[in-house]
Amino acid sequence: MKRIAGILAIAVLLTACRSGGQRGGKGLHSFNDLQSLFPELETPFQYPADSLAAKPRVPELEPEDLSAFVPDSMLKEVTIKKVKTHYYPLGRLQSESRQHFLLLKAVNPRIRAVYLCVFDKKGRFSDARIIGRSDPKIRQGFRIDQKLLLYLNISKPGSARNPGEDVYMVNPDGTFTLILTNNAQSLTADQINPIDTLPRKHKYSADYLLGKTGLVSIRDGADAKSFRFFIYFNKNGDCKGEISGTGHFVRPGLGEFKEEDGPCGLRFTFSASRVGLKEIGGCGAYRDIRCFFDGTFTKKK
């Protein structure tokens, strides 16, 4: 009996040794095991280039465990021969379509980078991209907004110029699409329209403009009673707003949007050449506090 107890004690000790320590990547048997190591993030999420220098305060992931979930070719993007690269779980997000976004930080003596790894709703790898980077040639911070658009701020070390900004969206298949390149200049309204290529057969499906930096874009919905929309405005650089979603026609020429899990509501009043926009619920999560989703926008010819 004592012999059996001794064997059990040794087995427990060995198991504890295998699962203990600061390494977070041990015993990853499923995607749920992997994503549980990544803390949940809230949007908007901002990660300046300076943050890449900070020492991570989370357990390290082993490359061998990561390779079970992501391609080796991805991990090799920042590796240096004969130098160990360390990987850390920075955070996780989930899209409305249940795509999983894992932010993975990679660190070695020459390069510090953050990957955005995209997995489908079943935890299968789709694609990955470096969205943050610091090395002798590039400094790149990033931010992620409520719609999970990626804003990459790129500059050169020591440069006094304002960084340019590339804006990417993640497609339903997990791939990335560049939708805007802003070279530190003011945006024009029709530069930042992620629904531009969607069908526009309905009589109200069009782009409606207010000045150079106000846009209401309407596209066909799933049926005749619904429509897709994207709204963007930037008033003198001091007040910005951006929102997209699906609205419904309550009667001819009048459409409304009401947020399912929040207070935001919008009313669209259509005519042959204009659309009137009015905020009928609190949409503060999608705009600065000093301005509203209101105004009359003229149909683009």
Side-chain angles (χ1 to χ4, degrees), residues 24-126:
K26 296 295 187 183
L28 301 182
H29 302 296
S30 68
F31 175 74
N32 286 335
D33 291 338
L34 175 66
Q35 73 163 347
S36 68
L37 300 174
F38 289 72
E40 285 191 52
L41 301 175
E42 293 184 357
T43 55
F45 176 75
Q46 190 161 345
Y47 202 81
D50 291 343
S51 297
L52 285 158
K55 185 177 181 180
R57 298 181 180 180
V58 292
E60 185 178 339
L61 295 172
E62 291 286 1
E64 302 81 40
D65 291 313
L66 284 172
S67 63
F69 302 95
V70 299
D72 291 337
S73 57
M74 187 200 91
L75 300 180
K76 290 178 180 178
E77 285 188 71
V78 296
T79 56
I80 302 174
K81 290 183 178 181
K82 299 181 180 180
V83 176
K84 182 175 177 61
T85 299
H86 303 270
Y87 298 93
Y88 301 92
L90 186 61
R92 60 186 164 98
L93 296 162
Q94 185 172 319
S95 70
E96 291 182 357
S97 59
R98 296 179 61 193
Q99 286 176 306
H100 301 278
F101 297 170
L102 301 187
L103 275 67
L104 178 70
K105 187 170 184 176
V107 177
N108 62 44
R110 184 175 177 83
I111 301 170
R112 293 173 179 264
V114 175
Y115 287 93
L116 178 63
C117 306
V118 183
F119 297 81
D120 67 15
K121 62 183 180 180
K122 294 184 179 180
R124 296 174 298 200
F125 177 81
S126 299

Side-chain angles (χ1 to χ4, degrees), residues 1 65 76 84 144 155 163 178 186 198 215 228 259 263 280 292 294:
M1 197 69 178
D65 291 313
K76 290 178 180 178
K84 182 175 177 61
I144 304 174
S155 63
L178 176 66
S186 298
L198 296 182
L215 168 70
R228 296 280 302 275
E259 193 174 23
I280 57 175
F292 299 89
D294 291 332

Side-chain angles (χ1 to χ4, degrees), residues 193-215:
N193 186 2
I195 67 170
D196 183 54
T197 58
L198 296 182
R200 47 195 298 179
K201 297 180 180 179
H202 193 280
K203 66 177 181 178
Y204 296 132
S205 292
D207 291 336
Y208 301 82
L209 304 178
L210 181 59
K212 293 183 178 181
T213 57
L215 168 70

